[in-house]
Amino acid sequence: MRKIAWIAFFSSALISCLGQTGTKAIALRCGSVFDGRGDSLRANVVIVIEAGKIKALTASAPDGAEVIDLAHHTCLPGLIDTHTHILLQGDITAADYDEQLLKQSPEYRTILATVNARRALEYGFTSIRDLETEGAGYADADVKKAINNGIIPGPRMQVATRALDVTGAYPLQGYAPNVSVPHGVQLVDGADNARQAVREQISHGADWIKVYSDRSYRVREDGVLDDIPTFTLDELRAIVDEAHRERHKVASHAMALNGVHNSVEAGVDTIEHGNYIADEDLKTMAARGIFYVPTIFVGEYVAQGRAAEGAPVWVKMIQIHEDTFRRAMKAGVKIAFGTDAGGFDWKINPAKEFSSMVKFGMTPAQAIRSATVTAAELLGMQDSLGTIEPGKLADIVAVPADPLADVSAMEKMDFVMKAGVVYRKP
Ligand SMILES: [Zn+2]
């Protein structure tokens, strides 16, 4: 508690003291820079920032600039987490989830979400894609608005609002038929109803449409992770068609064989989790530029708890996931960094995902690029984010070590700047 209070005080102090950039140039004197354009570091670079944007990379600070000394740090592009839930405080077990939906009001959950948004920023995530509120309505759109209006500190957000699933497929479940309980999604059945829900969510601020494409996992004898698909292909196609018609994109929670296959066939833009993906579907994903957001760390984190609750399949999934991840790399699928933070407690640093990706076969540089260049492309913001180069928004972070030598350095965030405003300083 005490630590949280201190962080909160520290942050608001930073916002008020450091948050005023004005028109004066800022010069970040970086010991080294990972600019995201290549796989190596450049030593002794000064990044010049003006009016929230990167103006130049030079050898010395221009006259009159405010110099920030990061000589013992590695500067990197602001990190992007493409799969978060700021309205959730961890849900290892069904009971954790029920507790939040039954005993916490959406208003209380929104207050907690503002704290999580601040945490995300302090961990170095200057942009996030928040993939649904888990029963808290359109609260994510309001948190985003409060951040954009400078009311609270937080990352740049793209939001999915309520997400979609079919009747009988998403918690809360298991209550008597005569008891009506809230659900973590908007329930829709039938292609026309699904189209209407997409229109509704977009009209209330959804940047992305999130669908849950499968449930009820089991490992077949041949080692394939099987599932029950939720939507029919017809329904999924209607959702994707409607979203795309309105120039919005679709993220699909798809963990296993059929959910992934139907999603890819329907033409979604991103596959979330993807613990098992058939080779044919990986090929299609690579050809059509469908992103894979593997969320590895959360799978390991929830596995033991869910196994203890009687679902040992979650432990078996880890090995299947690693095999899929390695096949996806070989197939040339675009892999974007995403953590499912909120699925685990926000007090745990989501940057642990970097180590998980390296354990599954990426180099540290590849893992960092997945959270910068590739993730910026997933957001459709590659022209303004993802690398450190002149003209881009000044989203810059720094860690006090070489993350290419040991990627766990990404968990030691010391400096965070978003659009030229400093939120954390060594
Ligand atoms: Zn999620």
Side-chain angles (χ1 to χ4, degrees):
M1 259 335 271
R2 202 166 281 172
K3 196 176 171 203
I4 294 168
W6 181 81
I7 287 171
F9 169 76
F10 183 60
S11 307
S12 50
L14 277 180
I15 299 299
S16 49
C17 302
L18 307 169
Q20 317 299 327
T21 48
T23 49
K24 193 178 170 190
I26 300 175
L28 306 181
R29 199 192 299 279
C30 300
S32 57
V33 169
F34 181 87
D35 65 14
R37 299 169 69 193
D39 279 353
S40 54
L41 299 179
R42 290 164 61 189
N44 302 318
V45 176
V46 173
I47 306 172
V48 184
I49 290 131
E50 232 176 65
K53 287 190 173 175
I54 298 164
K55 195 174 177 221
L57 277 70
T58 61
S60 57
D63 288 343
E66 175 197 340
V67 177
I68 297 175
D69 183 18
L70 297 167
H72 300 290
H73 286 74
T74 304
C75 296
L76 307 116
L79 306 178
I80 302 169
D81 189 342
T82 70
H83 189 135
T84 64
H85 300 279
I86 58 163
L87 271 301
L88 207 57
Q89 316 295 321
D91 65 329
I92 292 176
T93 66
D96 294 338
Y97 195 77
D98 287 26
E99 170 88 15
Q100 292 177 60
L101 270 72
L102 291 172
K103 297 187 178 169
Q104 296 179 357
S105 68
E107 291 80 1
Y108 181 71
R109 293 181 62 194
T110 309
I111 293 168
L112 298 182
T114 64
V115 178
N116 295 338
R118 169 178 286 179
R119 283 196 178 114
L121 188 61
E122 285 168 355
Y123 290 135
F125 295 95
T126 51
S127 304
I128 61 174
R129 182 180 60 149
D130 202 66
L131 282 185
E132 88 125 325
T133 62
E134 310 282 359
Y138 292 93
D140 53 354
D142 284 325
V143 173
K144 171 184 163 178
K145 190 197 281 182
I147 292 168
N148 288 350
N149 289 341
I151 312 294
I152 55 167
R156 186 177 293 103
M157 288 178 74
Q158 292 187 357
V159 300
T161 71
R162 302 179 62 194
L164 301 171
D165 204 340
V166 301
T167 296
Y170 205 84
L172 306 184
Q173 297 215 80
Y175 292 85
N178 59 320
V179 178
S180 63
V181 290
H183 292 285
V185 291
Q186 181 167 4
L187 298 176
V188 284
D189 299 288
D192 284 347
N193 291 336
R195 276 187 195 273
Q196 186 182 350
V198 170
R199 290 172 188 172
E200 242 173 65
Q201 294 190 358
I202 290 175
S203 78
H204 293 311
D207 300 303
W208 284 77
I209 297 299
K210 161 93 178 275
V211 292
Y212 285 87
S213 297
D214 59 15
R215 65 181 177 97
S216 304
Y217 308 103
R218 63 169 186 141
V219 180
R220 290 193 327 207
E221 267 176 27
D222 61 359
V224 166
L225 187 67
D226 196 15
D227 54 0
I228 298 177
T230 55
F231 291 104
T232 62
L233 189 50
D234 215 35
E235 290 167 325
L236 265 186
R237 282 201 171 116
I239 291 166
V240 172
D241 180 64
E242 188 58 35
H244 285 177
R245 202 177 61 76
E246 297 200 48
R247 297 198 194 105
H248 282 58
K249 289 188 274 189
V250 179
S252 175
H253 164 113
M255 295 179 63
L257 182 66
N258 303 296
V260 171
H261 181 69
N262 286 350
S263 300
V264 168
E265 284 297 299
V268 305
D269 301 278
T270 67
I271 295 290
E272 308 301 313
H273 314 302
N275 295 59
Y276 177 81
I277 307 176
D279 281 331
E280 268 312 295
D281 290 327
L282 285 175
K283 223 195 239 174
T284 313
M285 288 171 72
R288 294 191 194 158
I290 298 172
F291 290 85
Y292 174 32
V293 183
T295 70
I296 301 163
F297 170 73
V298 69
E300 295 174 334
Y301 183 75
V302 302
Q304 294 305 334
R306 289 186 180 170
E309 252 206 342
V313 66
W314 289 85
V315 175
K316 291 188 202 159
M317 272 191 220
I318 298 169
Q319 186 55 48
I320 296 172
H321 208 172
E322 176 168 355
D323 175 66
T324 303
F325 187 87
R326 290 180 187 274
R327 284 187 292 112
M329 282 183 67
K330 224 178 268 172
V333 173
K334 288 190 272 195
I335 301 177
F337 182 100
T339 66
D340 217 0
F344 55 92
D345 197 303
W346 277 95
K347 291 188 206 81
I348 298 167
N349 189 338
K352 283 180 181 295
E353 182 77 13
F354 287 105
S355 293
S356 299
M357 292 176 114
V358 169
K359 196 169 66 184
F360 276 13
M362 275 186 167
T363 63
Q366 284 174 321
I368 296 168
R369 285 166 60 85
S370 83
T372 52
V373 185
T374 310
E377 194 191 331
L378 182 150
L379 297 182
M381 297 188 72
Q382 62 273 25
D383 292 342
S384 48
L385 296 175
T387 57
I388 298 180
E389 48 186 326
K392 290 207 171 177
L393 288 170
D395 279 23
I396 294 161
V397 298
V399 293
D402 176 1
L404 300 190
D406 175 5
V407 84
S408 71
M410 298 302 287
E411 296 163 42
K412 300 178 187 118
M413 195 53 63
D414 251 0
F415 175 81
V416 179
M417 169 183 272
K418 186 185 106 185
V421 180
V422 176
Y423 290 90
R424 186 170 194 160
K425 227 176 156 179

